[in-house]
Amino acid sequence: MAAVDDLKFEEFGDSANLLPASQDDIAVTIEEPSLNPPAPRGLPRGLRREEDEELLGNSDSDKTELLAAQKRSSPFWTFEYYQTFFDVDTCQVFDRIKGSVLPVPGRNFVRLYIRSNPDLYGPFWICATLVFAIAISGNLSNFFIHLGDKTFHYVPEFRKVSIAATAIYAYAWLVPLGLWGFLLWRNGKVMSIVSYSFLEIVCVYGYSLFIYIPTAILWIIPQKAVRWILVMVALGLSGSVLVMTFWPAVRDDNRRIAIATMVTIILLHTLLSVGCLAYFFDAPELDYPSTITPAPTHQYTTRVVSAGH
Amino acid sequence: MAEADELTVGETATKSGFLGLSDVSISEDIPVEGEITVPMASHSQDEDYSTLDEPVRETIIRDLKAVGKKFVHVMYPKKSNALLRDWDLWGPLVLCVSLALMLQGGSADSKEDGGPQFAEVFVIIWFGAVVITLNSKLLGGTISFFQSLCVLGYCVLPLTVAMLVCRLVLLASMGPINFLIRLIVVIAMFAWSTLASTAFLADSQPPNRKALAVYPIFLFYFVISWMILTFTPH
């Protein structure tokens, strides 16, 4: 019956065929968005290793990179441009500090915590706190070491604050600059999967210095063994954060250059901590000076006696 | 003049039975006189618009009163607009200079590391205040630059009082009790400064970043307190 035929659904076929193919009409076809996310720029999917997928936080790396590109849209002479570098909440800063103190093996600090939102708040204020922590702790430690000494006159040693500030801010800003330039140069020669922007490197270095704040306060204890154990622990924790961050970036390079880079990073970090310990904190070796002095005269008399024979 | 007019109108109205105002005429016998002036509240009002003619003493006393009022607001911090809206930098300058001068006694003659020099104290206070203000603005705070400088500068007042007390206590003999008194005074004034400035500045920050903006203020007053506590005269 015609009514039943009318009610039956008609198949129309492809919509493009129904439109009259006249030159005046413009056929617009809208395609469904593709369900597979496209591979990150410049890299076919097959070449990525599994650990890098985990490290890169695959699912939203594209989204966060797009967001980052949108955020920096103001020109650099406006105030809003610099506000994008302070776009962090209190809980985010705490998470980043926690991630720098307790490194999870295999997880990359930058990808896990920073995620294309590097901030300048953490590096700047952690360095400022570290400067004053080292200067004040050094002063206090010297005071306690020389406490019983009548000839010691206490001075606040304010010069050391400016020296500490120069050293720490130079380390936290010039070393990332050098490292970033070096990585950029190597990326020109060897295509690497992971590359960091300058601000991300500054961020990693800044947050990795956080462990030295409680270390500096504990260095007040005037025992050499305690101080060196603290140096080892702090170096281990912050060094491992740096190594786990930068190893994926240099791993594809020539083996020797990769290892040399890692060794240089760790060496500079060690130099900073040991240098601060040596310069700002007097050595606590005043436990036994009174027992040393009688011995030379005793030796002298025995030698004279033996020479006389 | 108005009264004379009304009398004339009233008289003609009663005489002619209120035939309308067309019959109103002002006769030449009654003089019309008066003053066309806008009534003023006081004679001295147009002198207030230009303070150029007032004696110098009045100007100075007015500014001193404004500064004094802000000192009182710092010592008893309640939410008030005096510090924020009518900011001025005289108070911070006076406090900074007096604090830097009082910190001078120990290091003038020592060649080695001593206490902070005058310029160092000055730079720490002003540069520190500028950096904290920039930090709070970059984090999205709504306070203006000079208002924040004004609050941070005025809240150095408790620490200046602590410095004064420390210098007086140091005139007595040195010893652990001496140090303990100074320690307690400096800690109390440090807490007062930090709480006072936080009371004024914390509300202008977005709520999830308050701690990020308050921590630098804490560090700033801590450094100043450390300089005060470690002051040793010679």
Side-chain angles (χ1 to χ4, degrees):
Chain A
M1 282 175 53
V4 175
D5 283 332
D6 283 338
L7 289 175
K8 202 170 76 170
F9 183 72
E10 287 189 57
E11 292 294 324
F12 284 103
D14 196 13
S15 57
N17 299 333
L18 293 177
L19 297 172
S22 94
Q23 288 166 349
D24 296 332
D25 282 356
I26 301 170
V28 176
T29 50
I30 301 171
E31 287 176 335
E32 287 272 327
S34 155
L35 291 173
N36 299 324
R41 314 186 271 272
L43 196 68
R45 293 178 74 96
L47 279 186
R48 278 185 298 157
R49 294 168 234 185
E50 284 177 4
E51 50 201 2
D52 287 336
E53 285 194 18
E54 191 189 57
L55 290 175
L56 288 174
N58 180 35
S59 58
D60 50 1
S61 66
D62 298 327
K63 182 180 77 177
T64 47
E65 282 181 31
L66 276 174
L67 279 176
Q70 280 169 13
K71 277 198 302 191
R72 311 271 186 269
S73 54
S74 323
F76 68 91
W77 55 81
T78 58
F79 193 69
E80 284 74 27
Y81 176 77
Y82 297 102
Q83 263 184 325
T84 58
F85 300 135
F86 282 77
D87 192 16
V88 279
D89 295 337
T90 310
C91 46
Q92 281 178 316
V93 171
F94 279 148
D95 281 340
R96 291 176 185 194
I97 290 178
K98 211 171 45 164
S100 76
V101 172
L102 306 168
V104 179
R107 300 300 292 233
N108 188 332
F109 178 77
V110 174
R111 289 303 172 211
L112 190 57
Y113 290 104
I114 299 195
R115 286 183 174 277
S116 297
N117 185 18
D119 70 301
L120 285 178
Y121 178 90
F124 183 79
W125 288 109
I126 289 178
C127 289
T129 311
L130 186 60
V131 164
F132 288 114
I134 285 187
I136 291 177
S137 303
N139 198 238
L140 269 180
S141 143
N142 292 350
F143 173 73
F144 284 131
I145 286 177
H146 298 281
L147 193 48
D149 198 350
K150 291 296 174 207
T151 59
F152 177 72
H153 176 64
Y154 170 76
V155 283
E157 288 178 326
F158 200 75
R159 291 284 168 284
K160 297 207 165 167
V161 172
S162 15
I163 298 172
T166 313
I168 289 174
Y169 274 100
Y171 178 79
W173 290 83
L174 293 182
V175 170
L177 187 66
L179 191 59
W180 174 71
F182 175 76
L183 287 177
L184 212 60
W185 174 55
R186 294 310 298 177
N187 270 352
K189 303 199 168 186
V190 174
M191 187 60 203
S192 151
I193 298 168
V194 177
S195 68
Y196 301 117
S197 70
F198 171 61
L199 282 171
E200 286 172 346
I201 301 183
V202 166
C203 229
V204 171
Y205 265 87
Y207 279 103
S208 73
L209 285 177
F210 178 81
I211 186 73
Y212 287 115
I213 298 176
T215 310
I217 296 175
L218 286 174
W219 272 342
I220 296 178
I221 301 173
Q223 296 294 326
K224 252 192 173 158
V226 171
R227 285 182 178 178
W228 281 101
I229 291 175
L230 285 168
V231 168
M232 294 300 155
V233 169
L235 205 52
L237 287 176
S238 57
S240 64
V241 169
L242 289 177
V243 162
M244 282 193 292
T245 303
F246 289 110
W247 181 245
V250 293
R251 152 175 71 188
D252 297 323
D253 208 344
N254 185 356
R255 199 81 190 164
R256 278 198 209 158
I257 294 185
I259 296 203
T261 313
M262 287 293 120
V263 166
T264 311
I265 291 177
I266 297 179
L267 207 63
L268 284 172
H269 212 61
T270 314
L271 203 62
L272 178 79
S273 52
V274 172
C276 282
L277 179 60
Y279 184 74
F280 292 101
F281 294 82
D282 280 350
E285 54 191 14
L286 301 178
D287 303 314
Y288 47 86
S290 53
T291 58
I292 296 180
T293 39
T297 52
H298 179 68
Q299 275 182 344
Y300 178 76
T301 47
T302 49
R303 227 181 285 135
V304 165
V305 166
S306 58
H309 282 101
Chain B
M1 173 183 96
E3 292 156 344
D5 226 359
E6 278 170 12
L7 276 175
T8 321
V9 168
E11 283 166 13
T12 51
T14 48
K15 279 183 196 164
S16 58
F18 198 57
L19 288 177
L21 292 175
S22 54
D23 280 353
V24 170
S25 62
I26 301 176
S27 65
E28 290 106 18
D29 302 337
I30 306 175
V32 174
E33 62 184 41
E35 284 183 15
I36 306 178
T37 51
V38 177
M40 288 198 317
S42 66
H43 180 67
S44 64
Q45 209 178 26
D46 55 348
E47 280 189 11
D48 282 348
Y49 292 119
S50 81
T51 53
L52 212 53
D53 298 330
E54 67 179 6
V56 174
R57 195 180 59 172
E58 269 186 42
T59 315
I60 293 180
I61 287 186
R62 186 176 56 236
D63 280 340
L64 281 178
K65 275 196 199 159
V67 169
K69 200 163 98 149
K70 292 201 189 66
F71 279 158
V72 169
H73 278 294
V74 167
M75 293 312 269
Y76 300 105
K78 333 186 279 284
K79 199 81 189 84
S80 84
N81 278 333
L83 260 177
L84 288 178
R85 206 182 46 220
D86 309 318
W87 60 266
D88 75 86
L89 293 177
W90 281 114
L93 182 67
V94 163
L95 287 172
C96 177
V97 167
S98 55
L99 187 61
L101 281 176
M102 283 195 280
L103 277 168
Q104 277 313 291
S107 63
D109 49 351
S110 67
K111 298 169 284 285
E112 293 292 324
D113 283 336
Q117 300 291 322
F118 182 91
E120 286 169 344
V121 177
F122 214 81
V123 160
I124 282 188
I125 291 183
W126 285 101
F127 188 63
V130 165
V131 165
I132 293 175
T133 307
L134 277 179
N135 177 65
S136 79
K137 284 187 79 68
L138 283 168
L139 282 172
T142 53
I143 203 168
S144 96
F145 183 77
F146 285 108
Q147 281 174 351
S148 173
L149 275 187
C150 171
V151 168
L152 287 168
Y154 269 103
C155 289
V156 173
L157 176 67
L159 287 169
T160 311
V161 168
M163 183 73 221
L164 200 60
V165 169
C166 280
R167 280 213 88 148
L168 292 175
V169 166
L170 278 169
L171 291 175
S173 63
M174 298 282 282
I177 300 182
N178 196 309
F179 177 72
L180 206 59
I181 296 175
R182 283 187 291 142
L183 183 68
I184 292 176
V185 168
V186 168
I187 289 180
M189 292 299 155
F190 159 65
W192 198 336
S193 280
T194 310
L195 288 174
S197 61
T198 309
F200 288 112
L201 292 177
D203 287 338
S204 64
Q205 290 296 320
N208 50 346
R209 296 182 185 182
K210 275 209 168 70
L212 294 184
V214 166
Y215 170 71
I217 301 178
F218 169 86
L219 186 65
F220 176 63
Y221 289 125
F222 181 79
V223 169
I224 298 180
S225 315
W226 176 256
M227 288 196 297
I228 292 174
L229 189 59
T230 61
F231 171 75
T232 44
H234 202 286

